[in-house]
Amino acid sequence: MKFFLDTADLAEIEEAASWGAIAGVTTNPTLYARTGGKLSDFHNHIKRICEIVDGPVSAESVAMQRDEIVRDGLELADIADNVVVKVPTMVEGLAATHELARRGVPVNMTLCFSVPQALLAARAGARYVSPFIGRFDDISEDGLDQVSNIVGALSQYDFSDATVHGERIEVIAASVRSAHHVTQCALMGADIATVPFGVLKKMVQHPLTDRGLESFMKDWEKVQGA
Ligand SMILES: O=C[C@H](O)COP(=O)(O)O
C-alpha cells in the first residue's frame, strides 16, 4: 500500500516527505482554503507541492460543466508533470474525465460513494478513484465496507483498454479519519490511502513502543552511572 498526504499545507508535506512516508499528495478546495491561500496563488501553490513531492499531486477542478472541467484540467496538468486532475464523480465529471484521459491527462475521480460510480470512473478512463470513508460513516453508512466492495468489483475486470496510460485504475481510500481506517484498507487491498497529517502521525505511534523506549532509556542511565 502507498500513502498519499491529504493536505495542501506545505510544512506538513515537507515534514512527511522527510520521513520517506508519502508517495503523493491529494488536495481539495477545502484543504487549499485552509492554508489561507488566494485564488491567484493556487497554481503556484500546486507547483510548490509538485516540487516537494516526487509523485502524483491531485489538484481539483471546481468547474461544473464538462468543457470547463477539461479546460481547467488542461491548465492544471500544465503546472507540472506529476499533476493529477481531481474531478467529481458526476455526469459532467465522467465526460470530462473521458476527454482528459483521451488527451493523456491522469484523472482522480473524487467524491465516490458506490460501486457503480467507481465502475463508471474506471470505464471513463480515470487513473485513480477515491471512495470516501469518513463522510460515508458520517451518514451512518459503512465507509470501509464501501471501499472493500469497490476494491473487489474493480479487481474483477481489466480496464486498461479504457485508459491511454494502459495502467490499472488504482483505488485511493480517502476521507480517512483514523489509523484503524488505514489498517482495514490495507487488509482489503486498497492501493493507496490518502491520510491527513494527524492520522499519519498516529500511524507511527504505539503505547508499547513508548513504554519500551522509556524502559530502555532508564536502563541506559544505569549503565552510564555504573
Ligand atoms: O477530498 C478528499 C478528502 O480525503 C476528504 O476528506 P474529509 O472527508 O476528511 O474532508
Side-chain angles (χ1 to χ4, degrees), residues 81-126:
D81 287 347
N82 50 338
V83 165
V84 171
V85 179
K86 220 173 175 190
V87 175
T89 312
M90 57 179 185
V91 170
E92 293 300 301
L94 282 172
T97 295
H98 183 52
E99 180 57 20
L100 286 166
R102 201 183 64 76
R103 297 187 189 209
V105 175
V107 173
N108 171 4
M109 289 217 84
T110 187
L111 287 167
C112 174
F113 292 93
S114 73
V115 170
Q117 284 183 316
L119 291 169
L120 286 169
R123 268 286 136 231

Side-chain angles (χ1 to χ4, degrees), residues 6 27-28 31 60 86 110 132 134-135 174-177 194:
D6 199 24
T27 67
N28 65 30
L31 293 172
E60 190 156 342
K86 220 173 175 190
T110 187
F132 278 33
R135 292 189 193 194
S175 190
V176 168
R177 305 272 169 85
T194 188

Side-chain angles (χ1 to χ4, degrees), residues 204-218:
V204 190
Q205 292 163 1
H206 197 283
L208 290 180
T209 305
D210 295 342
R211 203 190 297 173
L213 195 56
E214 203 181 320
S215 73
F216 286 160
M217 289 300 129
K218 271 196 189 131

